[in-house]
Amino acid sequence: MNLKDFNYVHIGAKYISKDLWVNIIHEEETKKPIGGLGIKCPFNNIAGSISDWTDFLLENENLFYRMPHDEGCLLKVNSKSNICRLDSDNAVQQIKQKHDMPVAINYEKLATLYDAAFVSPFSMSSQLRHTEFNNWNIRTLLLFNLDIIDSYAPITIEYKDYGFYIKEVEKLKIIEDTSKQYNLICDLTNQLFEKRLQNTPTQDPYKLKQCIIRIEHDIYKYVLEQVNYQINSKFENSEIIKAILLNERHKHYKKRI
C-alpha cells in the first residue's frame, strides 16, 4: 500500500461509521460548528510529522496528554467533491456574499450546499484569524458528507523521539450505511421526543433549547437501559446513542422555533 495514495488523515479514531454521524449544527457563540467529521489535514508523509494536528499536539502539552493520538485513519477523498475553501480573507468574504451570510460563516447552511469545507486559518489576516476563526487552530477539512470518502485505512500511531510515526497500516475499508439497529433506535428516539414535546408550547429559543436538553437526558438513560444488544461491534452503545440524540435534539428544536 502506497502512503502517497492518501490525501488526508484523521487522528483519534481508527474507524469511521455512519452510526456515529452527527449532522452539522451551527454554533453562534463559538463560530465553530458541532458535528460533521473534522479531518486534521493534509496527511504529511514526513518522518515525525503525520499532520498539522500532531504538530499542534507537540506544541501544546496539555492537549498532548488529554487528546487520543495513538490511532487514526488515512483517507482517500474523492477529487470531484464539492469543497468550499475558506483559506483567505477574500475567499471567506466571497462565500458570505454568495450565500447571504452577513455576519459569520453558517456551517449548517454550507452543509446543504457543499460536501466539505477546507479551513486554513493561517492563510487569513491576523484580524480574521483572531475573531471569527479564533477557534480554528490548524488546517482542517470539515466533512459534511461521508460519501466523499472513497476508502480509508485504519492506522496505529507511535510517539517516539519527539515525533509521531505510523506504526501499522491496516487493509482498506469503505464506510458502510447505517445499521438496522441504528435506524430502529432513531425511530424510537424520534417517537420519545414527539411524545414528550407534544404538550410543550413554543417558547423563546433559549428556554425551548433547555427544555429539549432536559428531555434528551431522560431519553438517553431510558434508551441505554432498553438496548440490550450491541448496535455496532466497533463502538460503545453509549457513543452511538449520544450521536443519535444530538441529531434528534437539534431536529426537534429547529422544528419548533
Side-chain angles (χ1 to χ4, degrees):
M1 190 180 303
N2 191 341
L3 295 183
K4 291 181 180 179
D5 292 339
F6 299 98
N7 47 5
Y8 294 102
V9 61
H10 180 57
I11 308 293
K14 268 190 174 184
Y15 304 104
I16 301 173
S17 172
K18 290 186 178 181
D19 283 356
L20 277 182
W21 180 257
V22 175
N23 296 324
I24 291 290
I25 300 172
H26 180 66
E27 284 289 294
E28 192 66 42
E29 296 82 8
T30 64
K31 305 292 190 296
K32 193 173 183 180
I34 295 172
L37 178 66
I39 298 173
K40 315 309 179 188
C41 67
F43 168 47
N44 300 334
N45 191 13
I46 303 170
S49 173
I50 295 174
S51 71
D52 290 9
W53 178 242
T54 53
D55 293 346
F56 185 71
L57 290 179
L58 290 175
E59 297 167 1
N60 294 269
E61 188 175 349
N62 289 336
L63 281 177
F64 177 85
Y65 289 108
R66 284 195 295 113
M67 303 297 290
H69 50 66
D70 59 345
E71 60 184 21
C73 50
L74 300 172
L75 303 101
K76 295 180 180 180
V77 174
N78 193 303
S79 60
K80 296 181 181 179
S81 304
N82 186 15
I83 298 176
C84 166
R85 300 190 67 88
L86 302 172
D87 53 3
S88 69
D89 292 37
N90 187 49
V92 172
Q93 190 59 34
Q94 285 183 1
I95 291 295
K96 286 180 178 180
Q97 290 176 349
K98 183 176 181 180
H99 302 301
D100 190 24
M101 302 175 185
V103 180
I105 295 292
N106 185 321
Y107 297 91
E108 197 168 331
K109 186 174 183 179
L110 286 186
T112 66
L113 303 166
Y114 298 91
D115 294 317
F118 178 74
V119 182
S120 181
F122 290 97
S123 300
M124 302 173 188
S125 67
S126 177
Q127 180 181 357
L128 188 59
R129 190 170 71 246
H130 289 103
T131 51
E132 184 175 344
F133 290 87
N134 66 318
N135 284 312
W136 297 84
N137 298 305
I138 60 169
R139 294 178 297 172
T140 301
L141 183 70
L142 177 63
L143 262 63
F144 306 142
N145 173 16
L146 285 181
D147 291 333
I148 69 170
I149 297 176
D150 288 334
S151 59
Y152 73 97
I155 58 173
T156 301
I157 300 169
E158 181 180 25
Y159 171 71
K160 64 178 182 180
D161 302 327
Y162 306 103
F164 288 95
Y165 299 82
I166 294 177
K167 186 178 181 180
E168 181 185 7
V169 182
E170 298 180 19
K171 292 181 180 178
L172 282 177
K173 298 183 180 298
I174 59 171
I175 299 174
E176 299 176 350
D177 287 333
T178 53
S179 63
K180 180 181 178 181
Q181 294 91 333
Y182 172 94
N183 294 324
L184 289 172
I185 295 171
C186 284
D187 291 340
L188 173 62
T189 55
N190 180 58
Q191 292 169 17
L192 291 169
F193 267 110
E194 288 288 358
K195 184 177 180 180
R196 292 287 301 272
L197 286 166
Q198 62 183 355
N199 296 319
T200 302
T202 302
Q203 307 165 48
D204 69 77
Y206 175 78
K207 289 182 179 179
L208 178 61
K209 181 177 284 188
Q210 295 308 307
C211 175
I212 290 177
I213 288 173
R214 287 195 297 272
I215 292 172
E216 176 192 10
H217 290 162
D218 293 341
I219 292 175
Y220 170 75
K221 288 185 284 187
Y222 174 79
V223 174
L224 196 59
E225 290 172 358
Q226 295 297 309
V227 178
N228 55 7
Y229 52 82
Q230 190 73 21
I231 303 169
N232 185 308
S233 61
K234 292 182 173 63
F235 305 100
E236 295 291 334
N237 281 2
S238 57
E239 292 180 272
I240 297 172
I241 293 170
K242 284 177 182 176
I244 291 171
L245 284 170
L246 263 175
N247 288 329
E248 289 295 323
R249 181 183 86 189
H250 191 60
K251 180 181 78 176
H252 286 279
Y253 171 75
K254 296 284 284 187
K255 185 178 177 180
R256 286 165 172 81
I257 57 170

